Amino acid sequence: MAGQIPQRFIDDLLGRVDVVEVVGERVQLKKAGRNYAGLCPFHQEKSPSFTVSADKQFYHCFGCGAHGNALRFLMEYDKLPFPEAVEQLAGRLGIEVPREGADDPRAQQREKKRKEGVNLLEVAASFYRERLKMQEGQSAQRYLQGRGLSPEVVSTYGIGYAPGGWEALKQHLSAKGIGESVQVEYGLLIHREDTGRTYDRFRDRVMFPIRDLRGRTIAFGGRVMGDEQPKYLNSPETPVFHKGRELYGLYEARQSSSKLEQLVIVEGYMDVVALAQYGIHNAVATLGTATTEDHLSRLFRVVSRVVFCFDGDRAGRQAASRALETALPLMIDGREARFLFLPEGDDPDTLVRREGSEAFQDRVTCAMPLSEFLFEQAAQGRDLNTVEGRERFASQVLEALSKVPEGMLKSLLFEALAKRSGLAQAQLHVLLEKRVSAAAARKAPADWEPVEAVAEVPMQEAPVSTGRAASGRPTVSARSQHSAQVLSTVARIVQLLLHEPTLVSALPDTLDWLPESDETPLCRELIALLRAGRYRSPQVVLAHFQGSHEGQMLATLAKRELLIPKATREAELEGLVEHLLDRQRKRSPQDEYDALLNLERSGQKLDKAQRQRLASLVMELAQRH
């Protein structure tokens, strides 16, 4: 989208939204005097140190120091870039985000075209709604009444009717001066290449408008009222609609409650509206495609728990397996996925009509946790009373665990796997490291190579040992020698701390051992953050650096596997620190002074610690001379 967002608009926006409401949708808050309190979403804690002030419109964590307004919270918690966070806040109020200083004609043209497309689709949605009320829409009215839908639900979801003629919508839009080429581009008309003729894509169907998070119509789904095929017909991909990202009913679900706790993913439009008819307003549907990572990322920005709802037959179980695979890489701490399997032959529409709202809600409440479904899948067809059965069971679960982000969920799954398989956790960690290492070996090396990647630790200078140095401290392992050739020593330390935040406790109290390098400021900042926040999850650490150059470097490091067993990581870290200390002992003050000076001359701004060190070196060298 072209142009900058005016600061005056941002200030006005922050004055109109309530930070308590924004934070409260994602964090459980309790009233504490004039403020609200809860567990900090940015670090692991057992007692609340996170407060939100309604008066100051500000949040602050006394544990890790996280703080900011509603906009900053969305950026940190939902991992949104600044423009998207502004768009999301504006969407809550139903207002457009203005842009200024747009000097890119192509960007302006794209934005103009997008707005024209959305306006066109809104006109089409209005046309369908009006036709439902007319004589020609009586068959659709009877169909909707037969499905038990009230006028209120029909109105809430904007349901309409596409007439049976070949050119009803085409003529309506053309009369408004809208060209056929635009109607084709946005999926309303079909163009026949052989005849050059265009005609309405949707004919004699009940029409469901698909809306974005701001309530704007971006596509349609049409359902036949008889036995014709296809039963459902969706808009094609257009400049404003991508079925792998959008979900039917998400806008309406958010409108129904400002404090959604969970969302239920069902199969079709009628399932969503039928559940809404029975007072269940938190259902959404994918649009003729399997659930994607984009779908889940969008849902997890709104709620912390997603419930997949599937038929109980074989096809439903296969779909659930695919959903499990998609969900695993997204399961950072604080997120939850569950699996609900319906009786064979039922869908949410038929089941809620037969059992009622309360019974269906009970089924949702009792849905199978992701962990149970994972273990159930792995155990199928295997005799866990045999060594071979337990080995195959453990291997399949470990394959899944290799995709789960580091955090509490992964640790608990390891514990549960150890109990069910009879293997020790240490054994399982070794098996997982081997699996990850084998997978990493098949991948191409990462793109980011720090400045000192090869030169800083040459092969012959890297300390190689499987035991301890003369000082008694662990030294760098032979495997880490290879890693040191790829990353600088400081970058390798950053990588270790990112993957294993608790290792920060193994570092010396002071940071005198850190040399002056391009990665040093980031390393210092990361260490300070870990010591303040007691983090356990790399994802929460990454959220703190979201949108910055440092965040990009950390994200790249997070994708690189450590390739060493968990049990040896602390020894490697201590060995790397010892190596840096040894280099410092051999380094003269003049060398250190020259390095800092060269760093500054290269255009890099020295941080406070580096400036203080430079000043002390100037004094020390002056005294010597």
Side-chain angles (χ1 to χ4, degrees):
M1 193 175 290
Q4 288 188 330
I5 302 171
Q7 184 61 45
R8 63 183 181 277
F9 174 80
I10 297 169
D11 294 339
D12 179 61
L13 183 64
L14 290 172
R16 295 172 63 182
V17 297
D18 182 5
V19 69
V20 176
E21 185 178 313
V22 173
V23 175
E25 291 174 1
R26 297 157 176 80
V27 178
Q28 187 173 353
L29 298 174
K30 292 184 178 179
K31 197 80 168 70
R34 298 177 64 181
N35 297 327
Y36 293 81
L39 294 176
C40 179
F42 303 117
H43 79 285
Q44 297 288 333
E45 63 177 9
K46 294 182 179 179
S47 57
S49 61
F50 182 79
T51 63
V52 185
S53 170
D55 295 338
K56 298 178 181 178
Q57 287 296 299
F58 202 80
Y59 69 88
H60 180 78
C61 177
F62 293 95
C64 68
H67 64 279
N69 53 29
L71 187 58
R72 177 62 180 262
F73 184 83
L74 283 182
M75 293 173 65
E76 295 287 343
Y77 188 89
D78 288 353
K79 300 181 184 177
L80 293 177
F82 175 77
E84 286 188 26
V86 175
E87 289 279 354
Q88 191 170 127
L89 278 185
R92 299 170 66 92
L93 303 174
I95 56 179
E96 292 279 344
V97 177
R99 304 278 173 161
E100 62 182 18
D103 54 2
D104 183 350
R106 289 175 298 179
Q108 285 182 321
Q109 187 61 29
R110 284 195 302 270
E111 181 60 16
K112 180 182 177 183
K113 190 174 182 181
R114 176 182 172 84
K115 287 183 177 178
E116 288 175 349
V118 170
N119 291 338
L120 163 65
L121 294 165
E122 289 289 1
V123 173
S126 178
F127 170 81
Y128 292 139
R129 289 195 299 270
E130 290 301 316
R131 288 303 183 274
L132 178 64
K133 301 172 185 176
M134 296 181 177
Q135 182 73 25
E136 60 188 327
Q138 284 191 346
S139 59
Q141 293 174 31
R142 287 193 295 271
Y143 173 80
L144 294 171
Q145 290 167 2
R147 300 298 296 262
L149 298 183
S150 66
E152 291 76 19
V153 168
V154 170
S155 174
T156 297
Y157 285 86
I159 299 172
Y161 170 67
W166 288 89
E167 297 185 344
L169 178 64
K170 173 183 171 181
Q171 292 175 0
H172 176 77
L173 296 176
S174 297
K176 292 181 175 291
I178 300 171
E180 290 183 22
S181 61
V182 178
Q183 297 180 48
V184 170
E185 184 178 11
Y186 286 88
L188 299 175
L189 297 186
I190 292 176
H191 178 257
R192 286 280 301 265
E193 293 287 347
D194 53 347
T195 64
R197 177 191 170 199
T198 59
Y199 55 89
D200 290 356
R201 177 180 298 275
F202 300 101
R203 304 178 306 280
D204 194 27
R205 289 176 180 264
V206 173
M207 298 298 293
F208 299 86
I210 300 164
R211 295 160 166 166
D212 64 12
L213 287 175
R214 294 172 60 183
R216 301 173 298 186
T217 301
I218 55 174
F220 293 96
R223 192 195 193 286
V224 297
M225 293 169 281
D227 298 325
E228 296 86 355
Q229 293 295 325
K231 183 194 297 186
Y232 286 102
L233 181 64
N234 293 323
S235 291
E237 298 273 316
T238 71
V240 296
F241 174 62
H242 307 281
K243 64 182 180 181
R245 300 179 197 163
E246 305 297 336
L247 292 134
Y248 177 72
L250 182 54
Y251 167 74
E252 289 81 3
R254 294 190 69 190
Q255 291 298 110
S256 69
S257 172
S258 61
K259 293 190 177 181
L260 284 172
E261 294 182 356
Q262 66 181 11
L263 285 162
V264 182
I265 304 179
V266 295
E267 186 177 349
Y269 308 105
M270 283 305 302
D271 293 326
V272 172
V273 295
L275 290 172
Q277 181 64 54
Y278 279 78
I280 301 170
H281 298 283
N282 63 337
V284 297
T286 53
L287 304 164
T289 182
T291 307
T292 66
E293 284 197 17
D294 281 341
H295 285 143
L296 289 178
S297 294
R298 177 161 290 190
L299 293 180
F300 279 129
R301 289 174 184 170
V302 179
V303 295
S304 60
R305 185 189 307 121
V306 171
V307 180
F308 296 96
C309 184
F310 296 102
D311 295 341
D313 57 14
R314 184 175 180 181
R317 290 274 171 173
Q318 289 175 339
S321 296
R322 291 192 294 270
L324 175 66
E325 289 289 314
T326 304
L328 287 172
L330 302 175
M331 299 310 297
I332 63 175
D333 287 350
R335 292 178 177 177
E336 185 180 355
R338 290 175 173 265
F339 294 81
L340 169 61
F341 295 99
L342 304 182
E344 196 162 346
D346 270 315
D347 56 29
D349 183 7
T350 60
L351 192 60
V352 75
R353 293 178 195 282
R354 189 174 75 248
E355 292 187 348
S357 171
E358 188 174 343
F360 189 88
Q361 292 279 34
D362 288 343
R363 286 182 180 273
V364 173
T365 301
C366 298
M368 186 182 296
L370 177 145
S371 56
E372 287 304 311
F373 182 56
L374 171 61
F375 290 132
E376 181 189 275
Q377 287 280 98
Q380 278 186 356
R382 298 194 170 106
D383 183 358
L384 299 188
N385 292 318
T386 66
V387 173
E388 294 79 6
R390 290 200 300 275
E391 183 274 325
R392 293 191 185 108
F393 166 75
S395 292
Q396 184 167 332
V397 175
L398 284 173
E399 177 66 28
L401 284 178
S402 68
K403 301 169 185 174
V404 178
E406 293 295 334
M408 189 63 69
L409 174 64
K410 190 168 187 174
S411 298
L412 293 174
L413 286 170
F414 260 113
E415 289 180 17
L417 177 59
K419 291 177 182 177
R420 295 178 186 233
S421 66
L423 294 169
Q425 286 194 54
Q427 291 176 292
L428 292 172
H429 277 292
V430 170
L431 290 172
L432 180 61
E433 290 290 347
K434 287 181 178 179
R435 185 179 296 275
V436 169
S437 298
R442 293 192 294 269
K443 295 179 182 177
D447 293 331
W448 182 56
E449 299 292 339
V451 176
E452 300 173 82
V454 177
E456 197 213 48
V457 188
M459 180 75 77
Q460 65 270 24
E461 290 183 33
V464 181
S465 172
T466 55
R468 292 181 172 262
S471 62
R473 297 177 65 89
T475 57
V476 182
S477 66
R479 176 180 284 176
S480 71
Q481 183 185 20
H482 171 72
S483 300
Q485 286 183 288
V486 179
L487 296 174
S488 71
T489 305
V490 176
R492 177 62 172 169
I493 289 171
V494 171
Q495 184 193 26
L496 280 164
L497 293 174
L498 177 62
H499 281 264
E500 194 96 29
T502 56
L503 287 178
V504 73
S505 61
L507 293 175
D509 293 336
T510 65
L511 300 183
D512 298 342
W513 49 272
L514 263 176
E516 302 306 333
S517 70
D518 290 345
E519 298 88 12
T520 296
L522 174 59
C523 189
R524 278 202 183 99
E525 190 174 353
L526 179 62
I527 291 169
L529 184 68
L530 296 180
R531 283 175 171 169
R534 301 183 298 280
Y535 291 93
R536 304 220 184 293
S537 168
Q539 282 68 36
V540 180
V541 175
L542 289 172
H544 273 275
F545 293 89
Q546 180 69 30
S548 65
H549 173 65
E550 291 81 3
Q552 293 175 355
M553 293 172 68
L554 288 173
T556 304
L557 283 174
K559 294 175 184 176
R560 298 173 67 124
E561 301 298 341
L562 288 178
L563 302 179
I564 59 171
K566 194 178 183 74
T568 66
R569 292 175 185 176
E570 183 174 338
E572 169 138 2
L573 178 65
E574 292 177 339
L576 291 169
V577 172
E578 181 66 27
H579 173 64
L580 292 175
L581 283 169
D582 285 340
R583 290 184 59 195
Q584 272 195 10
R585 295 183 191 110
K586 298 172 184 176
R587 195 179 197 185
S588 70
Q590 185 66 52
D591 291 336
E592 193 176 352
Y593 171 77
D594 291 341
L596 278 171
L597 213 55
N598 289 333
L599 210 60
E600 192 171 41
R601 286 170 178 167
S602 69
Q604 180 172 320
K605 187 176 180 180
L606 301 183
D607 61 22
K608 183 179 179 181
Q610 289 172 319
R611 291 196 305 271
Q612 289 175 343
R613 181 58 182 158
L614 184 61
S616 66
L617 285 169
V618 170
M619 295 294 293
E620 184 178 345
L621 290 171
Q623 289 174 357
R624 290 190 178 190
H625 289 85

